[in-house]
Amino acid sequence: MKKVLVTGGAGFIGSNFIHYLLCGQKALELVVNLDALTYAGNLENLKEAEHDSRYRFVKGDIRDKELVGRLFATYDFDTVVNFAAESHVDRSIVEPEIFLTTNVIGTQTLLDAAKRQWKINPEDKYSREFRSGVRYLQVSTDEVYGALGKSGMFTETTPLSPNSPYSASKAGADFVVRAYHETYGMPVNITRCSNNYGPYQFPEKLIPLMIYNCLQNKMLPVYGDGMQIRDWLYVEDHCSAICTVLEKGKLGEVYNIGGNNEKANIEIVKLLLKTLNKGEELIAYVKDRPGHDRRYAIDNSKITSELGWAPAYSFEEGITKTIQWYLENQEWMERITSGVYQNYYASMYGGDKGGS
Ligand code: NAD
Ligand code: DAU
């Protein structure tokens, strides 16, 4: 892993991943961040990286064949980590189309460019001698498996059964990645992680939204009965798991990522209220999300036993660090919620070509 293309690197997990790479990967020569700077992309997340000579930012769309091809030809990446996506379930219910074009067609555009640049030979599929030293990693999600009842966990062989336009688009992308491996012998991995939390998460998602509303003394909108269960992982542990797969993962394999931290939404909301010294009268039970998945839980035994990965943070440590970060970075939150940063980007990067 020397020359890495990270897509969606200005978003929540992508920006944490770029920091993680720049701090921890000694062999790293270059990381190019290709990001369209949608509402969810925020270059402020990468202020420290800007001073690192190994880092470049390119504003652009993963669906832009010409741009993606040019980046491969210019930088000759050996590794691609695709985070770029429309990622919010609620938005996908209102506006599904962009989820399908970005998440499915964008993935296929990246795969095609990598296939061309890496001169992938379909015969590799039969010899199983995949071109060494190059790898495409698709950052997928546990949501592709659908919903669980009271018991059981998602394993890598659980059939895909997505319930929202978002998860359907992520499942579609996974199938395209799989097909490129099976048909052309593309050296790929797919990771499927549970819910992340940590610094730089856009405040439309449960934990940062609830922290923000607590600090503003606004109501905390809990969908339905609040008893839906999510399996939480601190974002840095997701980053370390991706690096583990890039280093040791068997090509063509899927790896689930999770830290065995199942919590009901209402439990999280009450914990945040208590930590921030606010009363439960701020809780507002609101109409449920349509098609709301009741429970997710990841069986992480494949990545832990075969690749030796383990999360470094307990939920208690992770959530304490996260709350602290949002308390110390209230201006970051203010700029996002006020739209100041969007206006700034429009003036800086308003044209088609973007900066680097
Ligand atoms: P995010 O919404 O915070 O960031 C997405 C980034 O992608 C943004 O910077 C955005 O500008 C960029 N982007 C969107 N469309 C683009 C396009 N067409 N071209 C280039 N860039 C584009 O998302 P996130 O929460 O950081 O999630 C990152 C990835 O991880 C997604 O693929 C998501 O499905 C997956 N994932 C997320 C979680 C989670 O809990 N957040 C868990 C598992 C998997
Ligand atoms: O499981 C991984 C997925 O986790 C990722 O693939 C998605 O990109 C990411 O957005 C996340 O999806 P969720 O739908 O689980 O996350 P969200 O933060 O939107 O919601 C978490 C839970 O909290 C879910 O059960 C819905 C509920 N919720 C959410 C919001 C925003 C509320 O009750 N109230 C809210 O206001």
Side-chain angles (χ1 to χ4, degrees):
M1 196 189 352
K2 290 189 172 153
K3 292 194 243 170
V4 185
L5 173 63
V6 171
T7 66
F12 162 48
I13 308 174
S15 57
N16 277 283
F17 184 72
I18 288 174
H19 289 303
Y20 188 84
L21 278 186
L22 292 171
C23 292
Q25 292 293 322
K26 291 202 176 62
L28 185 79
E29 288 171 12
L30 176 76
V31 53
V32 172
N33 171 15
L34 172 62
D35 195 298
L37 297 181
T38 68
Y39 78 93
N42 185 356
L43 285 184
E44 201 180 334
N45 301 356
L46 291 156
K47 265 203 312 237
E48 291 150 38
E50 276 168 17
H51 306 294
D52 193 311
S53 58
R54 297 168 298 170
Y55 172 73
R56 309 251 194 299
F57 170 69
V58 177
K59 180 178 185 284
D61 196 310
I62 57 168
R63 294 165 295 183
D64 182 341
K65 280 189 212 170
E66 197 271 324
L67 171 65
V68 171
R70 186 151 40 84
L71 289 179
F72 269 92
T74 308
Y75 295 112
D76 195 20
F77 305 112
D78 52 58
T79 306
V80 178
V81 185
N82 181 25
F83 292 98
E86 290 293 335
S87 70
H88 191 39
V89 174
D90 293 330
R91 286 180 191 258
S92 81
I93 295 166
V94 181
E95 204 185 344
E97 187 175 340
I98 187 147
F99 283 74
L100 290 162
T101 62
T102 291
N103 299 359
V104 183
I105 303 298
T107 296
Q108 185 260 334
T109 305
L110 291 169
L111 284 164
D112 256 356
K115 175 171 157 283
R116 251 193 327 274
Q117 183 69 21
W118 295 341
K119 301 186 172 48
I120 297 298
N121 175 2
E123 293 304 313
D124 292 347
K125 194 235 161 206
Y126 302 103
S127 65
R128 291 285 167 195
E129 285 171 11
F130 298 109
R131 205 190 121 178
S132 65
V134 297
R135 191 183 297 248
Y136 174 99
L137 188 144
Q138 177 73 4
V139 181
S140 185
T141 167
D142 61 356
E143 298 204 9
V144 296
Y145 296 121
L148 291 164
K150 284 201 171 71
S151 61
M153 293 179 126
F154 297 131
T155 71
E156 288 80 358
T157 55
T158 302
L160 303 199
S161 185
N163 292 318
S164 71
Y166 162 69
S167 53
S169 68
K170 293 296 290 185
D174 285 11
F175 283 133
V176 177
V177 175
R178 180 194 145 85
Y180 269 62
H181 176 76
E182 293 297 326
T183 305
Y184 307 114
M186 273 291 285
V188 303
N189 287 114
I190 297 172
T191 56
R192 297 191 180 130
C193 190
S194 59
N195 284 62
N196 284 212
Y197 65 100
Y200 304 120
Q201 187 166 28
F202 195 84
E204 63 187 353
K205 307 284 166 61
L206 183 75
I207 290 180
L209 175 74
M210 297 299 168
I211 295 176
Y212 179 71
N213 282 10
C214 274
L215 295 175
Q216 301 283 315
N217 290 313
K218 286 187 181 159
M219 301 308 282
L220 311 189
V222 172
Y223 299 163
D225 63 2
M227 291 306 291
Q228 302 82 5
I229 289 174
R230 296 293 181 265
D231 188 352
W232 294 92
L233 187 73
Y234 189 59
V235 63
E236 196 179 312
D237 283 328
H238 188 183
C239 297
S240 71
I242 289 173
C243 283
T244 302
V245 174
L246 289 171
E247 282 155 21
K248 302 190 223 165
K250 192 169 165 235
L251 290 172
E253 293 289 311
V254 175
Y255 294 94
N256 282 353
I257 303 171
N260 297 315
N261 287 306
E262 285 185 56
K263 309 270 177 221
N265 294 338
I266 192 67
E267 209 184 319
I268 303 255
V269 169
K270 287 185 177 171
L271 171 78
L272 296 174
L273 282 167
K274 189 161 174 236
T275 313
L276 295 166
N277 292 316
K278 301 288 175 173
E280 292 188 9
E281 65 281 0
L282 282 182
I283 296 174
Y285 289 93
V286 299
K287 194 166 162 287
D288 208 352
R289 172 187 279 174
H292 199 169
D293 288 335
R294 195 68 182 166
R295 175 173 166 256
Y296 303 144
I298 278 280
D299 177 341
N300 68 6
S301 51
K302 181 171 173 182
I303 189 168
T304 53
S305 66
E306 291 182 16
L307 306 187
W309 173 83
Y313 295 91
S314 67
F315 182 75
E316 290 65 32
E317 289 165 335
I319 198 73
T320 305
K321 274 171 83 72
T322 301
I323 295 170
Q324 196 57 35
W325 189 88
Y326 285 97
L327 286 174
E328 287 167 6
N329 290 276
Q330 291 186 50
E331 288 178 0
W332 176 90
M333 189 74 104
E334 285 306 329
R335 278 192 285 275
I336 286 183
T337 47
S338 72
V340 167
Y341 91 112
Q342 299 255 17
N343 297 339
Y344 167 75
Y345 291 144
S347 66
M348 288 292 286
Y349 299 104
D352 282 344
K353 292 292 168 223
S356 67

